[in-house]
Structures are given as C-alpha cells and as structure tokens.
Amino acid sequence: CLTAPETRFSSNLEQAPETLSSLKSMAERAAVSAGLEEQVQSLHLNERDLFSTPSSQSNSMTSNVPQTTEVHLQPMLGVCPLSPVHLSKDQEYQLHMVESAWLHMPHPSDSERIRHYLPRNPCPTPPYHHQVPPVHSDTLEFYQRLSTETLFFIFYYLEGTKSQYLAAKALKKQSWRFHTKYMMWFQRHEEPKTITDEYEQGTYIYFDYEKWGQRKKEGFTFEYRYLEDRDLQ
C-alpha cells in the first residue's frame, strides 16, 4: 500500500534540482539586468541551504540584520516632506480668481429676466406729445429726481418692470426700507429706542398704499426677518 506514495516522493526529489536550477538561472538573469553582477555569487544555493533547519536560518538572519538608529523629524516635515512648495504664477492667478468669484457670488435675482413695460390701454396721442420716452429715463439718476410719491406710484402700479426696480432703488437711497410682511415702505422718524440683533423699536414713517399717504407709527417693532435687505445692483 505504501509503494505509490514512496515512488511519488522520489519523483518529487528528482524534480527538485531541476526546479532549483531554473529558479537560479532566473535570479541570475534578473540580477545581471539590474546591474548586480557582484551579488550574483550570493544567489547560488546548494542543497544544504535549501534544506537547512529553521534554527540555522534564524541564526543567519539575525546575524545579517542591520542595526538601526532613531532619527527625530519635525512634525512639519512629516506633513510636507518636500517642504512647502511655492505656487506658480498660473496657480496664484487661479487662486485669486476663485477668491474673487466667492466674494462676488451670483444672486438669485440675477437670473430674473427684466420685463419691459407694456401699456395696458394703448391709445393714439397727438403728435405734440412725447411719442418716445425721454432720454436716459431708464437710469437711476433720472428716478432720483422724481418725487417720493411718484416713486411709490411706480413701485406699486408698474409691478414686474424695470421701472419698479429703479423706483425701489431710488427709495432705498432715501433711507426707505421695505417690510415684506405688511408690503409697505418704512422710514425712521428718529433713532430707535431699542436695537437688538433681531429687531429695533421706535417711531417710523410708513407709506399707506391703501389710503395713499404717509402715516406715523410710534412704538413700532421692526423685525429684521421681514426686512428686504437685498442689495440692488
């Protein structure tokens, strides 16, 4: 019953030298190609080295272990081992553009399309009347010359037009502030008596669009969450 395993083991022993010679030749070629001709002699293995006991191998390994020394490195060199690298001109330009873009981020109102005013009831007018709008009538300087009541009329009756936008901008130049809850314009009559991070309280002048006139409100609390504080560019 033991004849078959014995023959198989003997055949493996016969093939071992051939395998060893092929591995040795491969190692020699690799060492020569790497320019390690002087170390080729160390690659020659004999049967004693191949079938050596673990104790002899451990003794040889411990004898060949190089001695190490401790080196203390600065923490900065561990993070940036090549030291800080200076940015090139292109990289500095890209960084400057990114910072500028962050400081001038687009506002949601920038995507809103400005609608031009179309008369609701167009009718022919005599030729001695103006047939076209006055020159530079679509500029902020023109609207700043208009009266406050005219600006309120344009704001409430020309909704969704560029005229309403310019009227609101001119009213803000006059220290009027729009209240998003009451949909009215408010202006300080005097310095507020109470100012906090959430509101201010005092006497205000507001424009009542239902009765079409300015009214005075004492002890009014203006909550900042209802303040329309968009920067109209």
Side-chain angles (χ1 to χ4, degrees), residues 3 13 51 126 142:
T3 55
L13 289 177
F51 299 102
F142 178 84

Side-chain angles (χ1 to χ4, degrees), residues 16-17 27 31 50 60 70 72 75 82 95 98 111 126 164 170 173 179 181 193 199 201 204 209 218 224 226:
L50 182 63
S60 62
E70 294 183 359
H72 297 280
L82 300 180
L95 181 61
V98 170
S111 61
Q164 184 192 34
K173 292 288 186 180
H179 200 289
K181 181 179 179 181
K193 298 179 180 179
Y199 66 90
Q201 189 176 23
Y204 292 84
Y209 61 88
E218 297 180 357
Y224 293 142
Y226 298 122

